[in-house]
């Protein structure tokens, strides 16, 4: 069996993408930029600063702000987002995830988190999932965003396992590309991803028996 399973957060453990969207839509609107949920999809797995750059580019306002102004805009978005996280309870854990984490404990398979969100520790706390994770990669210490494998390699490193002995789970294309580049085996959640070693439609299909069968292929 695999030595460890490394999870993405947003879209795999809980659906915070909608809360990110509401905060970005408000901030973008204040700058005269309109974004919709389809555009929001392209921000999944992308860091806060890079997301803002993409929004500005989308609105044709790429060069309109200084670095300091952009930092203020990103901080405003984060304040709105953090405020909306107050609505997050253990009920927001996606279907099947708590059961899977618990099964991995029984199987003595290590668990890691590879989220680029600086709010990830607070989110795990709100979902009451912190005790299920052996190691969470620190997003603040990551230099290169997904699709670079850096954050997945940092998670394997922290778990003291080689990537070849691990499975990574992602819902974003940039994330699948990052897992594949790390040498781990990739599991994708969703129907639009390409290149995943195993593709499952929703987290409900993410069970230990399914992952175990996949590992033995
Ligand atoms: P924060 P993941 C990502 O989480 C989100 O998908 C992405 O939309 C967000 O911009 C990023 O975290 C940074 O989040 O602003 O909270 O630091 O998919 O890597 O778990
Ligand atoms: Mg994600």
């Amino acid at each position: 069996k695999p030595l460890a399973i490394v999870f993405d957060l947003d879209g795999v453990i809980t659906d915070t993408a909608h809360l990110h969207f509401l905060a970005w839509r408000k901030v973008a609107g204040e700058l005269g930029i309109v974004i919709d949920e389809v555009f929001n999809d392209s921000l999944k797995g992308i860091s806060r600063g890079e997301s803002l750059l993409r929004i500005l580019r989308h609105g044709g306002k790429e060069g309109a702000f200084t670095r300091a102004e952009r930092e203020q805009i990103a901080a405003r978005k984060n304040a709105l987002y953090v405020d909306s996280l107050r609505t997050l309870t253990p009920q927001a854990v996606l279907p099947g995830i708590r059961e899977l984490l618990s099964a991995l404990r029984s199987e003595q398979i290590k668990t890691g988190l590879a989220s680029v969100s600086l709010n990830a520790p607070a989110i795990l706390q709100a979902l009451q999932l912190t005790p299920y994770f052996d190691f969470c990669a620190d997003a603040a210490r990551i230099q290169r965003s997904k699709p670079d494998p850096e954050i997945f390699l940092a998670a394997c490193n922290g778990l003291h396992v080689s990537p070849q002995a691990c499975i990574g789970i992602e819902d974003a294309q940039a994330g699948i590309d990052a897992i594949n580049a790390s040498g781990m085996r990739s599991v994708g959640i969703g129907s639009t991803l390409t290149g995943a070693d195993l593709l499952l439609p929703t987290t409900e299909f993410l069970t230990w028996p399914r992952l175990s069968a996949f590992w033995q292929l």
Side-chain angles (χ1 to χ4, degrees):
K1 54 191 181 188
L3 293 182
I5 308 230
V6 178
F7 293 80
D8 170 47
L9 177 64
D10 176 28
V12 173
I13 288 173
T14 188
D15 186 13
T16 31
H18 190 67
L19 300 178
H20 280 293
F21 171 62
L22 294 178
W24 277 130
R25 187 176 62 179
K26 184 148 207 274
V27 168
E30 290 165 1
L31 304 174
I33 300 172
V34 178
I35 60 168
D36 60 14
E37 300 243 26
V38 175
F39 175 77
N40 190 58
D41 262 4
S42 70
L43 302 181
K44 287 184 181 169
I46 306 299
S47 72
R48 196 182 308 162
E50 175 64 24
S51 295
L52 176 57
L53 288 176
R54 291 191 187 197
I55 289 168
L56 294 176
R57 208 178 300 144
H58 179 71
K61 302 203 171 181
E62 252 175 302
F65 302 96
T66 63
R67 192 190 182 91
E69 286 168 334
R70 288 201 307 270
E71 268 163 25
Q72 273 187 7
I73 298 167
R76 160 129 177 89
K77 180 269 176 176
N78 191 52
L80 291 168
Y81 177 65
V82 168
D83 190 53
S84 73
L85 289 178
R86 287 183 307 161
T87 62
L88 213 61
T89 69
Q91 286 173 341
V93 177
L94 285 169
I97 294 296
R98 195 178 296 273
E99 294 76 2
L100 173 61
L101 288 167
S102 161
L104 296 178
R105 275 278 177 266
S106 309
E107 294 290 329
Q108 295 183 301
I109 294 169
K110 291 179 180 179
T111 49
L113 191 76
S115 168
V116 298
S117 174
L118 295 164
N119 295 298
I123 293 170
L124 286 188
Q125 283 287 346
L127 300 174
Q128 294 177 12
L129 290 182
T130 308
Y132 287 104
F133 285 88
D134 297 307
F135 183 77
C136 298
D138 182 357
R141 298 179 64 175
I142 298 302
Q143 308 288 318
R144 294 172 302 276
S145 235
K146 299 169 188 175
D148 190 283
E150 185 180 9
I151 194 159
F152 282 96
L153 294 174
C156 292
N157 223 6
L159 291 167
H160 310 292
V161 291
S162 92
Q164 285 71 25
C166 302
I167 295 176
I169 308 178
E170 261 287 353
D171 70 310
Q173 190 61 50
I176 291 294
D177 297 342
I179 295 171
N180 289 343
S182 76
M184 306 166 80
R185 290 200 217 168
S186 58
V187 174
I189 305 297
S191 51
T192 58
L193 301 172
T194 57
D197 296 320
L198 171 68
L199 195 59
L200 300 171
T202 68
T203 57
E204 274 159 293
F205 295 83
L206 206 51
T207 62
W208 167 241
R210 188 73 193 81
L211 291 179
S212 173
F214 159 65
W215 188 258
Q216 284 162 51
L217 277 181

